[in-house]
Amino acid sequence: MRLIDYFDRGADLYPDRDCLHDGTQGWTYREVRAQTHRVANGLLALGLGRGSKAAVYSPNHAAAYACLLGIVRAGVTWAPVNARNALEENLYILNNTDVEVLFYHSSFEGYLARIREACPRITGFICIDTPSFEEWLAVQKEEAPDLPDAPDDVAFLASSGGTTGRPKGVQITNGNIETMNSIFWACMPVKSPPVHLMVAPMTHAAGVCSFPLLAFGGTNIFMGTADPGGILAAIEKHKVTHVYMPPTLIYMLLAHPDVGRYDYSSLQHLVYASAPMSVDKLVEAVKVFGPVLTQTYGQAEACMICTFFSPEDHVAALESNNRHRLASCGKVSPLVRLEVMDDHGKLLPRGQRGEIVVRGNLVMKGYYNNVEATAEASAFGWHHTGDIGVIDEEGFVYIVDRKKDMIISGGFNVFPGEVEQVLWSHPAVQDCAVIGIPDEKWGEAVKAVVELKPGMTVEADELIQLAKDKLGGVKAPKSVDFVDTLPRSPVGKVLKKTLREPYWVGHERKI
């Protein structure tokens, strides 16, 4: 099936149900379907077709999502552009993915001159939130061609996180999406039309989470900003059933003074992913939001659900005195093969650490126009995630750390995530990041960079001692820096590369 087919199923079954809602106004499946046909025909009239690329430069917005659907209806590849990125990064992405038509929100009108200058391939610019958009739609044909099934065609051209270098174009096919949706339905069966709160950028995991819900008449509620108090209120107001959030945003919700004020009983799945989550804060979240916490593990190259940790698994871990299991990301999903591999391509037995590798129809077609990077990521016939992990005897998968984040101190391997879990347990710590900095004696010394909860204080020595007590002297931070806010990517990941850079200036190596 093509991505648009899931939407069309929802439109067939629930034509008068809201598909999109901006918090005050809703648009039904019938209305959105008509708009997607006109968007598709508009693109075809501009000469775009199979293999062409179009992007939407917009904050989370109902019209932006409708344009996304119109792009894929035309058989054109959608190139997601995160509105929270810096302009220069988005210029690189637009060029790297060969975008020809750009739909944009009027808030980015001031960027157009720079985009035109830097991205000469883009020949069409269409503003989505002014009367000119409705005028453009009005002159397009009402019915777009019904294109044949094309499982190997690229539905969207995502960009990798870029936290360790320039983003790469990740080719996600219709077949990849079909596999991802199938896993979603197997793990999170949809029994009635859901309500999905689009808090995180629709260009990333939140958008991917919305695709399988379309087939069941899902309503997508759009929030332009990730305001913690607004999110809490929206869950109650709209009776939200599904929401995706990175752990950093969940921490903000838990720290909000109004967190105990609202009713969250409508929630079925509060999905968290993208980064490890503090076990202590996870326990707190279960108490606040109920048994709805749901973890998935994946990446741009292997959509979203390589592993699955269900709400029931969370509860069982707490009730069976297996609290440590909350540090896992669940068990391998159906339709995915996931193993742990050493540097020589040997699959390792349960209990041994190595790089997590995956294969199956969830894995991307390859990196766009980057044969070398594709070959490197596909060594030994498996997709290499770059994550160090271990699988226990019960089949639970634990992400130990990013391979490139590992610290080598005095010849010992220190995995930052292990240290971060301990620091997160301190009641004053909102978030933290552990990095390696140059040290003449040890090669690298362990440093913690800590963001405190509002109004809270703690001494560095207290945190260092906490880590020593839990992990021993080798893994404990040698120093602690306190910052008002940790640097984060537009999707909420802490940028350890940014934290490390000042300490490694003048050094030949960066690890």
Side-chain angles (χ1 to χ4, degrees):
M1 291 177 69
R2 299 168 61 231
L3 174 52
I4 194 64
D5 293 333
Y6 307 104
F7 166 79
D8 279 338
R9 181 186 189 272
D12 287 340
L13 296 177
Y14 304 96
D16 297 316
R17 180 177 168 82
D18 281 345
C19 174
L20 310 176
H21 203 289
D22 66 4
T24 57
Q25 179 182 356
W27 293 265
T28 67
Y29 271 84
R30 190 191 310 278
E31 292 169 327
V32 175
R33 175 185 258 175
Q35 191 173 69
T36 65
H37 276 275
R38 291 183 182 273
V39 168
N41 281 325
L43 292 172
L44 295 173
L46 290 171
L48 276 68
R50 184 179 179 184
S52 301
K53 320 294 188 305
V56 185
Y57 200 156
S58 172
N60 284 353
H61 192 279
Y65 195 91
C67 288
L68 179 174
L69 295 173
I71 289 168
V72 296
R73 185 180 292 285
V76 174
T77 299
W78 170 49
V81 176
N82 189 347
R84 299 181 187 177
N85 286 345
L87 173 61
E88 292 303 313
E89 181 170 357
N90 280 338
L91 294 177
Y92 175 84
I93 290 171
L94 291 168
N95 276 322
N96 188 53
T97 54
D98 293 330
V99 168
E100 299 171 53
V101 170
L102 182 67
F103 294 92
Y104 69 93
H105 188 272
S106 60
S107 59
F108 296 106
E109 186 81 35
Y111 290 173
L112 287 192
R114 180 75 180 102
I115 296 172
R116 291 179 191 275
E117 175 189 26
C119 305
R121 287 190 193 89
I122 301 179
T123 56
F125 293 84
I126 302 166
C127 187
I128 64 172
D129 63 322
T130 62
S132 63
F133 183 55
E134 295 300 328
E135 293 167 6
W136 179 75
L137 290 177
V139 299
Q140 311 304 332
K141 295 179 181 178
E142 293 183 3
E143 191 78 17
D146 184 12
L147 301 179
D149 196 21
D152 294 327
D153 278 9
V154 178
F156 67 91
L157 189 52
S159 290
S160 61
T163 54
T164 57
R166 284 289 205 179
K168 296 183 285 290
V170 179
Q171 299 179 97
I172 299 299
T173 67
N174 288 314
N176 295 146
I177 296 170
E178 184 169 350
T179 302
M180 193 276 295
N181 284 354
S182 298
I183 296 171
F184 188 104
W185 297 327
C187 295
M188 294 177 271
V190 182
K191 298 177 182 178
S192 59
V195 177
H196 176 235
L197 184 62
M198 192 85 72
V199 174
M202 59 175 259
T203 50
H204 289 69
V208 171
C209 277
S210 74
F211 297 156
L213 301 177
L214 292 172
F216 295 87
T219 298
N220 288 287
I221 310 292
F222 289 86
M223 292 193 65
T225 60
D227 168 57
I231 293 168
L232 296 172
I235 293 172
E236 177 181 281
K237 177 181 177 181
H238 299 288
K239 295 182 169 52
V240 170
T241 60
H242 294 69
V243 61
Y244 159 81
M245 299 184 205
T248 52
L249 183 52
I250 297 175
Y251 301 163
M252 293 178 191
L253 298 189
L254 294 174
H256 196 277
D258 291 338
V259 70
R261 175 181 170 186
Y262 298 102
D263 177 8
Y264 311 117
S265 60
S266 62
L267 280 175
Q268 298 173 18
H269 292 282
L270 195 170
V271 180
Y272 64 100
S274 300
M277 184 165 175
S278 158
V279 169
D280 290 274
K281 290 181 172 61
L282 186 51
V283 172
E284 182 183 355
V286 172
K287 291 178 181 176
V288 170
F289 297 109
V292 297
L293 274 290
T294 306
Q295 185 178 180
T296 68
Y297 164 70
Q299 52 186 197
E301 296 88 342
C303 283
M304 193 73 190
I305 323 181
C306 293
T307 69
F308 182 72
F309 197 29
S310 71
E312 293 78 13
D313 289 333
H314 285 76
V315 172
L318 291 171
E319 292 182 347
S320 62
N321 200 29
N322 283 305
R323 190 176 184 272
H324 68 279
R325 194 169 286 164
L326 294 176
S328 83
C329 57
K331 295 182 177 180
V332 181
S333 301
L335 308 182
V336 178
R337 178 94 187 272
L338 182 149
E339 297 288 348
V340 171
M341 181 180 285
D342 69 12
D343 290 338
H344 307 290
K346 178 185 175 183
L347 298 181
L348 299 175
R350 297 294 183 259
Q352 289 194 24
R353 291 181 175 184
E355 184 177 8
I356 292 176
V357 293
V358 297
R359 70 185 188 196
N361 291 334
L362 195 64
V363 177
M364 66 172 179
K365 188 175 185 176
Y367 293 116
Y368 183 63
N369 289 342
N370 198 333
V371 176
E372 290 183 3
T374 299
E376 182 181 352
S378 307
F380 309 112
W382 294 77
H383 171 68
H384 291 250
T385 65
D387 291 322
I388 299 296
V390 62
I391 306 174
D392 71 14
E393 293 298 331
E394 286 75 38
F396 286 91
V397 180
Y398 295 78
I399 310 298
V400 179
D401 227 310
R402 288 293 292 170
K403 195 172 183 178
K404 294 180 179 179
D405 286 342
M406 187 179 73
I407 301 166
I408 303 175
S409 185
F412 292 94
N413 293 343
V414 179
F415 294 98
E418 189 176 11
V419 186
E420 289 160 358
Q421 281 290 347
V422 172
L423 298 179
W424 277 327
S425 70
H426 193 283
V429 174
Q430 170 98 321
D431 205 352
C432 65
V434 171
I435 59 174
I437 63 172
D439 185 273
E440 288 186 7
K441 180 178 181 179
W442 303 108
E444 286 186 279
V446 181
K447 172 180 280 292
V449 185
V450 175
E451 178 182 324
L452 296 176
K453 291 180 180 177
M456 301 289 280
T457 61
V458 63
E459 295 296 324
D461 288 345
E462 183 178 342
L463 295 178
I464 292 170
Q465 189 60 50
L466 174 66
K468 283 182 178 180
D469 292 343
K470 297 286 186 179
L471 302 172
V474 172
K475 296 180 180 180
K478 302 298 186 290
S479 60
V480 178
D481 288 350
F482 295 96
V483 296
D484 292 335
T485 306
L486 288 165
R488 294 184 177 89
S489 74
V491 293
K493 294 182 180 180
V494 173
L495 296 173
K496 292 186 177 180
K497 180 182 177 184
T498 301
L499 290 172
R500 279 193 295 262
E501 281 177 347
Y503 299 100
W504 290 95
V505 171
H507 292 261
E508 290 186 4
R509 67 186 186 92
K510 300 300 181 185
I511 58 172

